[in-house]
Amino acid sequence: MKDETGLMELVGIARLAASGELLASKRSIEYFELPTRRLLNRTSERMPFQWTINPYRGCEFGCVYCYARYTHEFMELDTVLAFERKIFAKRFFAASLAAELRKIDRKDWIAIGTATDPYQPAERRFEVTREILKVFAAGRGRKLSVTTKSDLVLRDLDLFQEIARSNIFHVNFTLTTLDEKLARLLEPRAARPELRIASARSLAQAGIQVGVFPNPVMPLLNDSEESLDALAGAAAEAGATFLGGGLLFLKPCAKQVFLPFLERHFPRLAPEYERLYRTGAFLRGEYTERVRERLKRIRARHGLRDAPIEYTPEPWEPEPEQGNLFEPAAAVRSS
Ligand code: SF4
């Protein structure tokens, strides 16, 4: 749509983003405010969770395989540099989020941090994630997860413990490799692998259920039995209960960063990836089955599950408008 000057008129989220107040700028990073009416987003049926919450748009960590870059397109911003340097902190009202939550089924899983990292550096200043968690801590009977690559997550241990008492809750750490050099290339500004493992250990020791996602598994980069096994061993030793595992998919926005990255750092792999992803964003066929079997074997070796345990939190009185919450576990039902 064009305005009276003949220029493209921005609508919806692009208009909100363009008018967002500049909150701060750090080196080449700029932070903006993004007023948000709805925080919860419905996911597709393929996902193991039904709702997502992403406190930020854009992500300073700048992983070369990041598939969420396309979200900047909605704001008429570029998906390479702007995605990493123009960070939008969502502004919301706790009462509105609580009202949104009242409308959704308590059996539904809600995942925080599926498109951008909820503990990226912006969180240190703006605490959007922490404010969201406070809403969950004041409620009960939800199924909630948080996914991150950051050790800043430890700051919110107090809230996690409160949430985990009355909700099914777990924290996922994304960890593609234990190799510090490779991690630095793939995830230039995320916490070092060692810090992520240490954070997983601290949370597990504090009673929070923790999982590790070796995502994305990338052909010939981090997919070897040896690499995945080392990662699973470290996860299990830190107290993680489950290990995920999803293959790299390359949407056009991710491809335009990932392929030049390969040309620069792994030139021999570039033609192989061109071939693998020539016909689509997803890998198919025998390789996917091989990785699935490999992960299954590795989980069994380290006593890890493939999904979190849906434990039963302490029983409570049901909220009147929602009826019964969780079924009390057998152990507490007898009392
Ligand atoms: S941490 Fe996640 S959202 Fe942020 S750049 Fe990396 S892959 Fe993208």
Side-chain angles (χ1 to χ4, degrees), residues 2-34:
K2 305 236 173 118
D3 64 12
E4 61 279 8
T5 63
L7 295 172
M8 192 64 87
E9 191 183 329
L10 298 176
V11 294
I13 192 156
R15 186 174 52 76
L16 287 172
S19 59
E21 194 186 331
L22 179 64
L23 294 172
S25 81
K26 182 184 87 176
R27 297 187 316 273
S28 55
I29 315 285
E30 291 178 302
Y31 300 106
F32 300 87
E33 187 175 67
L34 188 63

Side-chain angles (χ1 to χ4, degrees), residues 59-63 65-69 83 115-117 149 187 190:
C59 186
E60 214 172 314
F61 287 160
C63 307
Y65 49 71
C66 182
Y67 61 82
R69 293 175 180 276
F83 178 79
T116 55
D117 200 301
K149 287 188 175 104
E187 302 147 358

Side-chain angles (χ1 to χ4, degrees), residues 13 58 83 88 155 171 220 225 256 261 274 298 306 317:
I13 192 156
F83 178 79
F88 292 81
R155 182 201 64 190
V171 175
L220 304 168
E225 180 105 15
Q256 67 172 341
F261 159 81
E274 288 275 11
I298 289 171
D306 63 357
E317 290 299 312

Side-chain angles (χ1 to χ4, degrees), residues 311-316 324-335:
Y311 65 92
T312 305
E314 289 172 10
W316 53 76
N324 283 327
L325 305 178
F326 300 115
E327 280 294 305
V332 295
R333 195 179 286 142
S334 58
S335 62

